[in-house]
Each structure stands twice: as structure tokens, then as C-alpha cells.
Amino acid sequence: TLEELRSNVKSQTVSRARKIFSILASDKGYKAVEIGRYLDKDPSRLTTYLRERGDVEKEVKETEKSLGK
């Protein structure tokens, strides 16, 4: 949920969801600062997520497909 993405929960599932969300938002043109503000997270964390894109590439593609990209 959005509440979980914005929370301080550090579970692997929520962290992966944040990473996927951040990558998808970046692909749509949002900057790490904007994504960080929306998720209430430090932009440096989001930059790390974007560098780690390869870790979740399969999930990113599946999510894009399910969203109709």
C-alpha cells in the first residue's frame, strides 16, 4: 500500500516495492528528489535504488506490462 511505501518498514517486500516504484517513476521522468518527497524518503536512498535497477529488472518489466505501458 502507499502507506507501507511511505513508512519506515524495512521488510524485503516493501523495500523491493519502493525500488520498483522509484524506477518506474524515474522512467516516467520524475527526479529522485520528487520521488523522495512523495515517498517521504531521502533522495540519496532513491538514487541507490535506481543504481540497483538490475536487481529488480524482471519485476519492473512485469509491472510495466500490467500497467499497460
Side-chain angles (χ1 to χ4, degrees):
T1 66
L2 180 56
E3 291 80 24
E4 289 174 308
L5 291 177
R6 290 180 165 172
S7 75
N8 290 326
V9 172
K10 296 181 180 176
S11 75
Q12 186 175 14
T13 302
V14 174
S15 293
R16 285 182 82 77
R18 277 190 204 109
K19 190 181 290 189
I20 292 167
F21 178 90
S22 300
I23 291 166
L24 291 170
S26 176
D27 287 353
K28 292 291 184 184
Y30 291 94
K31 295 179 176 26
V33 171
E34 296 169 307
I35 301 165
R37 196 175 303 130
Y38 184 76
L39 293 177
D40 196 26
K41 301 294 172 208
D42 188 290
S44 66
R45 184 81 215 123
L46 286 288
T47 301
T48 300
Y49 289 160
L50 299 176
R51 278 194 310 244
E52 296 172 350
R53 180 184 188 113
D55 296 348
V56 293
E57 190 65 35
K58 182 179 177 185
E59 288 106 323
V60 169
K61 289 181 188 278
E62 289 171 357
T63 303
E64 287 175 333
K65 187 176 179 180
S66 72
L67 293 173
K69 182 176 178 192

